[in-house]
Amino acid sequence: LMQGEGMIKRLTWESCSDILQQGGTCIGSARSLEFRTRPGRLLAAHSLVRHGINSLIAIGGDGTLTGANIFRDEWPSLLDELHDTGKITPQERDRSRYLSVVGLVGSIDNDMSGFSMTIGCDTALQRILYAIDA
């Protein structure tokens, strides 16, 4: 979201068929100090609007899910600011009025109450067992 043009691309079955072996960082996901600031979230909002993206899936732990919630809460004011500064047109603002956000718990710590196993925990345990058995 932060790097925009070069990192945002449409995924197809072919382009992500071997993604399981690569892990999340192959899609450019990473912690972002910039996203913790309003100017950073404004940049991310601008990238989404420019690409016509109105849905976001956030996979991570507390920081990721908190950031996604803040982004969702700020979305209307981010659009207004982008419009008022001339970075998006009234049509782009209207087309992007709603942002759907889904949060999925991804944590190798497996520390989310109510879940038997979080995304990433099984992989971490398998790698630990492999290292021990080696």
Side-chain angles (χ1 to χ4, degrees), residues 81-99:
E81 188 172 337
L82 289 169
H83 174 263
D84 294 346
T85 57
K87 293 183 178 173
I88 62 172
T89 66
Q91 295 81 9
E92 288 174 315
R93 180 178 61 180
D94 292 343
R95 188 178 63 232
S96 304
R97 187 164 307 279
Y98 301 102
L99 177 68

Side-chain angles (χ1 to χ4, degrees), residues 55-69:
S55 301
L56 185 64
I57 300 172
I59 304 172
D62 185 52
T64 298
L65 300 179
T66 298
N69 190 49

Side-chain angles (χ1 to χ4, degrees), residues 46-83:
H46 192 213
S47 292
L48 292 180
V49 171
R50 272 199 325 255
H51 287 88
I53 298 170
N54 62 3
S55 301
L56 185 64
I57 300 172
I59 304 172
D62 185 52
T64 298
L65 300 179
T66 298
N69 190 49
I70 291 169
F71 193 52
R72 180 192 55 82
D73 286 345
E74 287 183 347
W75 185 253
S77 65
L78 292 169
L79 288 181
D80 288 342
E81 188 172 337
L82 289 169
H83 174 263

